[in-house]
Amino acid sequence: MTLPAPPTTLIPMTTGAAFPVRRVFCIGRNYAAHAREMGNTEAEDPFFFTAWAETVVADTDVIAYPQSTADYHHEVELVVALGLSGRDVPVETALDLVHGYGVGLDMTRRDLQTAAKNAGKPWDVAKNVEQSKPVGKLAPAAGFDPTAGAITLSLNGERRQTGDLSDMISSVAEVISYLSRFYRLEPGDLIFTGTPSGVGPVVPGDVLTASVAGLPDLTVTVGPPAA
């Protein structure tokens, strides 16, 4: 019996094209205020974890509330989509690898993350979750400045997260350069670049609107748990 190949996750672009997702890298503790609200110190080097491409959902207005959690949190992030490959990439040329930018959410089973952290265990069950990484339409890299601009999230019309891309501890270029020391980055790779402070819980029925100045907004409703 021959099994069919798994489908490729595609993110629509403002140009009408689609971006095929290969891998997902997520940067943690990249905004000092968020690191402090989580009880952590600022990371000297970029701190990252990975996720399956299947966690990314696009062109949808509903995401499922996952099972096995009672504390599911929102985190708004600038998402970087790579269009070229590179290893040991200098900071000065790192942005040349970028194909586009978008707004994303890194949804987190916070109760499971806290339990894992306290036990010194990996966070996979908290972060690598189906439908936990919704991404809005990607805009071409040309013309967008990833070093400054408002990044916000509203929950049911009420502002919960407010920051600026200039608040990042490690810039997009520095993050790309750092990751390329450990992996050969490839076209299709996504990088979630961290979240400002103000993260908090959601429940089914909540409407999340995530924004980065100069990029298309992302609006999703939290649905019931998936079957």
Side-chain angles (χ1 to χ4, degrees):
M1 176 180 177
T2 301
L3 296 178
T8 300
T9 300
L10 299 173
I11 305 175
M13 299 193 65
T14 58
T15 58
F19 181 87
V21 179
R22 183 174 185 271
R23 296 178 296 187
V24 182
F25 299 93
C26 301
I27 308 302
R29 305 178 193 173
N30 202 23
Y31 289 76
H34 172 61
R36 291 193 296 268
E37 77 176 346
M38 292 290 101
N40 300 309
T41 57
E42 300 175 23
E44 294 183 3
D45 290 320
F47 172 85
F48 69 94
F49 54 93
T50 60
W52 301 321
E54 290 86 351
T55 63
V56 177
V57 288
D59 200 22
T60 184
D61 55 4
V62 178
I63 59 171
Y65 192 99
Q67 297 176 336
S68 302
T69 184
D71 196 22
Y72 199 42
H73 279 212
H74 58 74
E75 299 184 12
V76 59
E77 311 210 6
L78 171 69
V79 178
V80 180
L82 301 186
L84 295 175
S85 62
R87 184 187 292 278
D88 295 323
V89 180
V91 172
E92 294 77 15
T93 60
L95 295 184
D96 293 345
L97 273 62
V98 181
H99 185 70
Y101 296 95
V103 183
L105 294 170
D106 175 24
M107 305 297 294
T108 304
R109 291 194 275 212
R110 191 71 72 199
D111 45 359
L112 301 190
Q113 183 190 36
T114 299
K117 288 168 62 177
N118 290 341
K121 295 179 179 179
W123 300 355
D124 290 352
V125 73
K127 290 286 194 177
N128 203 8
V129 180
E130 292 93 337
Q131 300 188 24
S132 65
K133 310 252 182 311
V135 178
K137 278 191 175 182
L138 299 175
F144 179 77
D145 179 6
T147 66
I151 177 171
T152 64
L153 180 134
S154 294
L155 176 65
N156 299 325
E158 180 180 343
R159 181 68 58 83
R160 293 297 177 87
Q161 291 186 260
T162 301
D164 196 280
L165 300 181
S166 63
D167 297 332
M168 287 187 191
I169 297 170
S170 298
S171 68
V172 170
E174 290 168 338
V175 164
I176 293 171
S177 178
Y178 183 80
L179 288 174
S180 74
R181 291 162 50 185
F182 302 96
Y183 303 92
R184 181 174 181 82
L185 299 177
E186 299 288 356
D189 289 344
L190 288 183
I191 303 173
F192 283 67
T193 58
T195 193
S197 61
V199 302
V202 301
V203 297
D206 282 345
V207 178
L208 301 169
T209 300
S211 302
V212 170
L215 298 176
D217 288 351
L218 167 66
T219 299
V220 294
T221 299
V222 180

